[in-house]
Amino acid sequence: MKMSLELKGIILGTISGLAAVGIAFAVGVVFQPKPAAASGAPEALLVPPPGSPANLGRKLFLMNCAHCHGADARGDEGPDLHGVTKSDARIASLIKDGKKGEMPKFGAKLNDTEVQALIAFVRTLKD
């Protein structure tokens, strides 16, 4: 049984149209915007009280760390900082000395007060 050229065109057109709709739907799901709290926006972070070390730490984080750890500190190139269990001394060492091939040294850029402020801020990041 031979199919007419017109019928073949209708079938192929229908299949192509359905495929295009399926692809459009899949792309829409993949590129759907994230909710505000998970969007990586700085507003997604807890804002510590003004004048507190953690508030200074938040500002320092956004200026120095967010480009790798994400503006919401959930990780990007660098790891997620929520619920960090390392000691304050270990965190200070990582900030000051960096980690070869993974994190730059900030010891020459940040003073001890600023490093402690960053640690205070990291401690506010809960899961």
Side-chain angles (χ1 to χ4, degrees):
M1 179 171 143
K2 289 189 174 184
M3 209 182 295
S4 74
L5 194 57
E6 185 179 327
L7 185 56
K8 284 181 183 178
I10 291 171
I11 292 171
L12 286 174
T14 302
I15 291 171
S16 297
L18 290 172
V21 168
I23 290 169
F25 176 76
V27 168
V29 170
V30 169
F31 293 105
Q32 193 171 24
K34 296 178 184 175
S39 69
E43 298 79 35
L45 293 173
L46 171 73
V47 179
S52 69
N55 188 279
L56 171 60
R58 178 182 182 274
K59 291 174 186 173
L60 290 166
F61 174 84
L62 292 171
M63 290 188 308
N64 298 286
C65 313
H67 64 279
C68 287
H69 292 281
D72 61 356
R74 292 266 174 216
D76 191 12
E77 290 177 40
D80 184 345
L81 298 177
H82 289 75
V84 169
T85 58
K86 291 178 174 31
S87 70
D88 288 1
R90 180 65 182 135
I91 296 170
S93 174
L94 285 168
I95 293 169
K96 291 177 183 179
D97 302 329
K99 194 169 184 180
K100 188 173 182 170
E102 295 182 30
M103 181 172 157
K105 299 177 182 183
F106 286 92
K109 183 175 182 180
L110 303 172
N111 64 39
D112 287 339
T113 301
E114 292 169 325
V115 170
Q116 291 304 312
L118 275 168
I119 293 168
F121 171 68
V122 167
R123 296 292 182 214
T124 70
L125 302 172
K126 307 294 181 200
D127 282 325

